[in-house]
Amino acid sequence: MAEKEKKLPKGKKLEEELCWSYPNIAEKAPEQIAAAAAFAEGYKDFLSRCKTERECAAFAEQALLAAGYERFSPQKKYAAGDKVYQVNRGKAVLATVFGKKDIREGVRINGAHIDSPRLDLKPNPLYEKDEIAYFKTHYYGGIRKYQWGTIPLAMHGVAVRKDLTKVEFSIGEDPGDPVFCISDLLPHLAAKQSQRPLSEGLRGEELNIILGSTPYADGDVKEPFRLEVLRILNEKYGITERDFARAEIEMVPADKPRDIGFDRSMVGAYGQDDRVCAYPALMAQLDTVDPEYTTVTVLTDKEEIGSVGNTGLHSNYVHDYITYLCDNQGADPKEVFANSACLSADVNAAYDPTFPDVFEKKNASYLNHGVVLTKYTGARGKSGSSDASAEFMAKVIDIMDRAKVYWQIGELGAVDAGGGGTIAQFVAMMNIDVVDLGVPVLSMHAPFEITSKLDLYNTYLAFRAFYNEKEAAPEKPAAGRGRRKKK
Ligand code: MN
Ligand code: MN
């Protein structure tokens, strides 16, 4: 179309040369739609099987074993192409392919979290009130409590019995299973409750989960509704009330992932923050067979409550794992950390046309515009963020551009509209270059979150490019060929 180009008015031409806006992928690359839809099928299957960090870690371990990974052993000597992994307390996973380059040149890390907001059972959860049996809960992570009433909930988790045997729960996922539920008032009687601020629509101590309404049939017991629940739990799972003190039980939405829209362009599901990054991170790790740099995929826990605890990024477990890799290769870990690069693979808030006020449109991320590169997060003047350097932004953008990945920039909302954090700050503490890169999400932290299949797919492409980067080819002199044609 050279002729047409010439006819463009000067201003229009300059505008094309100098201005930039991030395109809608469906418009710019419709050929990606089918590939993205196919990739999303595997993702939905993963989401339907994995609703807790433990279930995600077990899924990842199985996938790694099936791909020929072995448990990392400090005693063994590994060479380029060797595949190892480690599991931290059943809740976090590390996976590595050794690269062709000397590990001293740094490792490539991609870290996503596999915990999601939910309702945890209290350590002494069971009670009855006015002929209904309930669980008391303590919410985990940043939920909007009013969203968790009147939806079907499933019970996942583990309990350890007195004899230290473990029982695993997953109740409410099979169509034949019962589900559980939190009640709310009918509108006819909610006049007073409706005057509460939205943050108190349902209060923390009102997130009580209905378990049963049948009394224990026989005899003169004080709390027959509670006892009947315990009788069933004991019969089916061999636990007693005391075992709740040795349990980690999470109540999560019981729904399955679904396609959203007539065009099926989106996925609706629970737990997409941050499994929408964890899944492509795991797939990119599995699809990386012969990398230049040694890879470290981290699927971590406890991000939603500040990365605390020994399975969160506050712990030394990632630091220690990389140190083991360095020892194995006879390298000084300090040198390796300083040369390493990390994607903190976490979601960002997608621009929501129904609630435009909390976004600044020029710097928001949009559904279907690709993986979001978030230079900094934080709140009140970037507080609590790890602000990526211009140089590291350039490096990551270059990798994505060369791999033809659709990416966009995005801030987490308008200035002072709120804020948030990711694992990036804890990675940065190890003296590693890090930036946030992930999928934009609508209704983040809701029981049913929305993502775009094209964004998910391009996130996978970005992670794969990061692990499979070849060095940039040196610029060839454009001798006798004139100006390079614009794409
Ligand atoms: Mn997250
Ligand atoms: Mn989150």
Side-chain angles (χ1 to χ4, degrees), residues 9-89:
K10 217 171 144 192
K12 196 85 194 148
K13 200 157 168 278
L14 201 61
E15 193 179 75
E16 261 191 24
E17 275 174 23
L18 303 185
C19 297
W20 177 252
S21 66
Y22 298 94
N24 185 305
I25 307 167
E27 232 163 55
K28 193 87 177 175
E31 70 279 3
Q32 280 200 6
I33 292 174
F39 188 80
E41 288 306 306
Y43 170 57
K44 287 188 294 177
D45 180 59
F46 163 76
L47 283 181
S48 68
R49 293 158 187 263
C50 301
K51 293 200 172 177
T52 67
E53 59 282 9
R54 286 176 189 267
E55 289 166 358
C56 289
F59 179 99
E61 182 173 20
Q62 286 312 309
L64 290 163
L65 286 170
Y69 282 69
E70 59 176 75
R71 260 183 195 262
F72 175 72
S73 159
Q75 281 77 41
K76 262 182 127 169
K77 181 91 185 128
Y78 296 103
D82 285 349
K83 300 179 283 190
V84 297
Y85 77 96
Q86 198 173 72
V87 179
N88 179 8
R89 297 171 172 87

Side-chain angles (χ1 to χ4, degrees), residues 113 273-274 303-304 346:
H113 66 92
D273 174 6
D274 182 34
E303 193 280 339
E304 292 295 354
D346 209 341

Side-chain angles (χ1 to χ4, degrees), residues 1-14 16-17 483-487:
M1 308 287 267
E3 214 173 318
K4 217 174 194 178
E5 230 170 72
K6 260 181 221 161
K7 276 182 194 162
L8 276 180
K10 217 171 144 192
K12 196 85 194 148
K13 200 157 168 278
L14 201 61
E16 261 191 24
E17 275 174 23
R483 228 157 54 93
R484 229 182 306 167
K485 226 177 166 182
K486 216 168 52 166
K487 273 186 209 139

Side-chain angles (χ1 to χ4, degrees), residues 54 156-161 163-170 233 236-240 243 246-249:
R54 286 176 189 267
H156 289 244
V158 300
V160 181
R161 303 183 190 96
D163 64 1
L164 303 186
T165 56
K166 206 189 276 184
V167 54
E168 289 183 24
F169 302 98
S170 175
L233 281 171
K236 291 204 164 150
Y237 304 100
I239 62 166
T240 69
D243 294 329
R246 293 182 283 247
E248 286 180 289
I249 294 171

Side-chain angles (χ1 to χ4, degrees), residues 17 22 39 56 115 169 181 221 244 278 282 323 362 457 483:
E17 275 174 23
Y22 298 94
F39 188 80
C56 289
D115 61 318
F169 302 98
C181 196
V221 290
F244 283 112
L282 178 63
T323 303
K362 290 280 290 177
Y457 182 59
R483 228 157 54 93

